[in-house]
Amino acid sequence: MQKPVTLTTTRKNFHLPVDKILPFLIPIIVILFWQVSSTLGWLSSSVLPSPMAVLQDGIKLTVSGELPKNLSISLYRATVGLLIGGGIGFVLGFINGMSNTFRLLFDSSIQMFRNIPHLALIPLIILWLGINESAKISLVAIGTMFPVYINTFHGIRSVDPDLIEMGKSYQLTKSQMFFKIIFPAALPQILVGIRYALGVMWTTLIVAETISASSGIGYMANNAEDFMDMETVVLCIVVYAVLGKISDLVAKSFESLLLDWQHTGRSNA
Amino acid sequence: MNNSMITIKNVNKIYDNTTALHDVSLDIKQGEFIALVGMSGGGKSTLLRLIAGLEQPTSGSVTINDSSTDSLMRVMFQEDRLLPWMSVLDNLSFGSKDKNTKAHARQLLDLVELGDYANHFPNQLSGGQKQRVALARALMTDPKILLLDEPLGALDALTRRKMQDLILDICQKQNLTTILVTHDVEEAARMADRIVVMKNSTNSYEETCPKNRNVGQIGLVADRVLGEILEEPTLEKQTA
Ligand SMILES: Nc1ncnc2c1ncn2[C@@H]1O[C@H](COP(=O)(O)OP(=O)(O)OP(=O)(O)O)[C@@H](O)[C@H]1O
Ligand SMILES: [Mg+2]
């Protein structure tokens, strides 16, 4: 009886790190290959600077304060834009999901507006608001509003009617009905919308900052391009990738925190 | 003792162009256990939903003869309809933080022999366990009327039998007025005081079951009721 027990523990010890390491394997190989190619001169630095050069550039810009400054302004625009857009999207999705009258009044207009690619509004918004903060924040807000709206709306509309009937037969109050049944049932779908909105948020910001800004990561990249500063251009791309990955991780951990009941399946128990 | 609890008078229910119920009149006494049986689409669920107040009759009246309000009636549906995001305990109390409510919920979980499962989520339970949670939930507010719409349909024969006994026991001890919708005439004959056959959208036949019945009597009642539903000569008639 002793042996199988020791066997399973060694197995566990052997398996766990592999799960953690495996996702990083390809990025590490790519970076190594990239570095080796640059060092051996296969890859000209005018085409693509080496990872070490990009890293050094990053350190230099961090020390000079330029990177932190632009990073924080970009983060600020992204967060405020998402909060405004996501907030409006959620409220509209909630109202239209709960009330047929509001749905008839608003939904088709919203759907029509949604079909305009929001980046097409850049010239109009620059004309209206100039190139100050409100222009970029509005663009992010418009871009993130729709995914949150649509997913909140659908999440609420597709709550299992059997559960709603159950709630009625148990005489739940309107607010109990919403907080105990409708909102938790719609939450997975709402979170899908938020995760999608995070993607839209970064794309919109990159484009907006590249086209018209005097600060932010997008501006940094655009400015570096004017000076043929390859290292900084690549650095900005890397920063965007990292930011995207971080926001995805934040969204994922939110999901597993809020939807823990989904992970209590019998297989895991 | 013999006062009626539920009075259904000339009830019609018409959906668009389907007549779900046609001129149904039925009187159900306080403490009585009624089984509603009949072919699929016969209007059993519709009648139950009208009694539960989840829908209104097209004409006629459904009267509940009891002055107490909200917690009077509880429905147990064919599916468990538990909230997957709440623990078993919270499903009973709808997440109430009230100490007495929680204590009551724990008592009922003990009653359905799920005391150890209070903090499990529904997807960690078996089908029979979920139905027991649903039963406990239906009993939370000490209802006087229990409406059961094929609650045991999805269970295996053994679990089903245990649930039947549990429900009977609870209904007798708490003197509940119970309406059980079922496809299973055997189940009806085992559990009910009175079996009502729903056919062609109306209650076409009734059978009062003997008290303290034995297996043979259950079989006979079941056979007679089945004959009524299918309009076939029954064993008794054949041998007579
Ligand atoms: N919401 C509805 N809209 C339209 N027709 C309905 C509705 N509910 C029930 N019906 C119709 O009413 C009739 C009776 O349905 P009901 O659900 O009461 O039957 P049932 O006896 O419970 O059947 P089963 O044993 O299959 O559950 C059926 O013909 C059904 O199609
Ligand atoms: Mg039915």
Side-chain angles (χ1 to χ4, degrees):
Chain A
M1 285 308 334
Q2 281 287 353
K3 263 190 179 169
V5 174
T6 26
L7 239 177
T8 44
T9 40
T10 39
R11 247 200 196 161
K12 249 188 186 165
N13 285 341
F14 181 70
H15 265 277
L16 262 175
V18 172
D19 284 359
K20 297 247 163 82
I21 290 167
L22 224 47
F24 293 99
L25 202 59
I26 291 177
I28 288 170
I29 290 175
V30 168
I31 290 171
L32 280 179
F33 184 73
W34 176 10
Q35 179 63 49
V36 170
S37 312
S38 301
T39 320
L40 295 180
W42 297 342
L43 197 63
S44 149
S45 63
S46 62
V47 176
L48 201 62
S50 77
M52 277 314 280
V54 174
L55 188 67
Q56 275 161 3
D57 188 53
I59 292 169
K60 192 190 83 198
L61 289 173
T62 308
V63 171
S64 76
E66 203 175 330
L67 182 63
K69 190 196 84 194
N70 286 308
L71 188 63
S72 52
I73 189 81
S74 285
L75 272 173
Y76 163 76
R77 288 167 185 157
T79 330
V80 175
L82 178 72
L83 285 178
I84 295 174
I88 295 174
F90 176 78
V91 169
L92 281 177
F94 165 71
I95 294 173
N96 292 0
M98 298 295 282
S99 149
N100 273 327
T101 318
F102 279 105
R103 180 176 57 87
L104 289 171
L105 186 64
F106 286 128
D107 190 51
S108 69
S109 309
I110 295 176
Q111 295 296 344
M112 205 152 70
F113 191 43
R114 180 176 78 95
N115 283 318
I116 307 168
H118 66 285
L119 294 177
L121 298 175
I122 291 180
L124 193 61
I125 286 183
I126 291 175
L127 284 178
W128 281 344
L129 302 173
I131 58 162
N132 57 19
E133 289 314 304
S134 53
K136 274 150 300 249
I137 290 173
S138 317
L139 263 175
V140 173
I142 295 170
T144 53
M145 181 177 97
F146 293 108
V148 175
Y149 166 74
I150 288 164
N151 285 285
T152 306
F153 178 70
H154 281 288
I156 288 179
R157 298 294 288 186
S158 52
V159 176
D160 184 356
D162 280 356
L163 290 183
I164 293 179
E165 192 189 57
M166 186 277 295
K168 274 188 197 148
S169 82
Y170 277 79
Q171 277 96 22
L172 295 193
T173 61
K174 276 218 167 98
S175 80
Q176 275 180 319
M177 199 75 155
F178 180 73
F179 287 110
K180 309 288 182 193
I181 298 184
I182 295 171
F183 183 69
L187 192 57
Q189 185 80 47
I190 296 173
L191 289 176
V192 167
I194 291 176
R195 232 173 121 179
Y196 189 86
L198 284 171
V200 174
M201 172 184 88
W202 289 122
T203 337
T204 312
L205 197 64
I206 296 166
V207 175
E209 284 182 346
T210 310
I211 293 179
S212 73
S214 50
S215 58
I217 300 291
Y219 162 77
M220 241 175 94
N222 200 38
N223 198 40
E225 182 205 322
D226 292 346
F227 291 95
M228 307 259 283
D229 180 0
M230 254 317 201
E231 282 85 7
T232 307
V233 171
V234 175
L235 176 72
C236 290
I237 294 171
V238 171
V239 167
Y240 274 126
V242 171
L243 286 176
K245 184 72 197 166
I246 289 174
S247 48
D248 208 48
L249 281 177
V250 170
K252 261 191 193 159
S253 56
F254 248 107
E255 272 175 35
S256 55
L257 194 75
L258 293 170
L259 308 178
D260 57 344
W261 55 272
Q262 283 187 339
H263 307 292
T264 53
R266 306 231 281 150
S267 51
N268 298 355
Chain B
M1 268 311 280
N2 265 6
N3 52 336
S4 63
M5 187 71 158
I6 304 168
T7 312
I8 300 160
K9 256 203 193 124
N10 308 105
V11 160
N12 287 287
K13 178 71 187 178
I14 298 161
Y15 290 109
D16 304 326
N17 37 29
T18 352
T19 305
L21 292 175
H22 174 68
D23 197 22
V24 175
S25 294
L26 192 65
D27 206 60
I28 297 166
K29 291 184 185 61
Q30 203 272 317
E32 200 176 13
F33 196 123
I34 297 275
L36 278 182
V37 296
M39 297 272 247
S40 181
K44 306 180 296 290
S45 297
T46 307
L47 186 57
L48 207 71
R49 296 158 59 78
L50 288 181
I51 297 172
L54 292 171
E55 273 178 78
Q56 296 304 314
T58 311
S59 68
S61 66
V62 176
T63 323
I64 313 294
N65 306 306
D66 195 296
S67 50
S68 47
T69 47
D70 281 1
S71 61
L72 181 63
M73 242 180 320
R74 280 296 170 252
V75 190
M76 191 178 159
F77 300 92
Q78 179 157 13
E79 324 79 31
D80 54 74
R81 300 200 189 179
L82 298 176
L83 300 175
W85 43 85
M86 285 189 182
S87 70
V88 164
L89 191 72
D90 285 343
N91 260 286
L92 264 62
S93 60
F94 284 105
S96 161
K97 296 270 183 288
D98 183 66
K99 263 197 185 139
N100 294 330
T101 314
K102 278 192 164 179
H104 189 40
R106 284 191 188 278
Q107 270 173 7
L108 286 169
L109 284 178
D110 285 337
L111 181 72
V112 297
E113 294 171 15
L114 285 175
D116 297 337
Y117 290 82
N119 295 320
H120 282 57
F121 282 92
N123 62 2
Q124 294 171 298
L125 304 180
S126 73
Q129 289 171 328
K130 282 187 223 174
Q131 285 296 1
R132 278 188 275 161
V133 176
L135 177 63
R137 179 178 64 184
L139 297 171
M140 265 303 278
T141 45
D142 296 319
K144 296 191 174 148
I145 300 171
L146 201 55
L147 305 173
L148 311 168
D149 193 352
E150 295 189 47
L152 314 181
L155 304 182
D156 65 279
L158 218 66
T159 317
R160 202 178 161 115
R161 187 62 169 266
K162 286 190 88 173
M163 283 290 287
Q164 288 173 358
D165 292 339
L166 179 66
I167 290 173
L168 264 183
D169 193 49
I170 290 169
C171 290
Q172 270 159 15
K173 274 190 189 136
Q174 308 194 6
N175 193 24
L176 298 176
T177 307
T178 313
I179 304 177
L180 170 75
V181 171
T182 177
H183 276 125
D184 183 349
V185 287
E186 190 90 28
E187 178 170 284
R190 254 175 63 79
M191 296 177 77
D193 300 322
R194 184 153 55 114
I195 300 175
V196 175
V197 174
M198 296 290 297
K199 200 158 79 181
N200 302 326
S201 315
T202 193
N203 48 336
S204 60
Y205 176 80
E206 272 191 30
E207 168 109 20
T208 308
C209 303
K211 290 241 181 284
N212 304 320
R213 62 213 90 156
N214 59 34
V215 183
Q217 285 168 312
I218 292 175
L220 280 179
V221 170
D223 186 56
R224 239 183 348 254
V225 170
L226 195 63
E228 275 306 320
I229 296 172
L230 301 171
E231 286 181 279
E232 278 170 3
T234 64
L235 248 164
E236 267 180 313
K237 282 179 194 160
Q238 278 173 345
T239 47

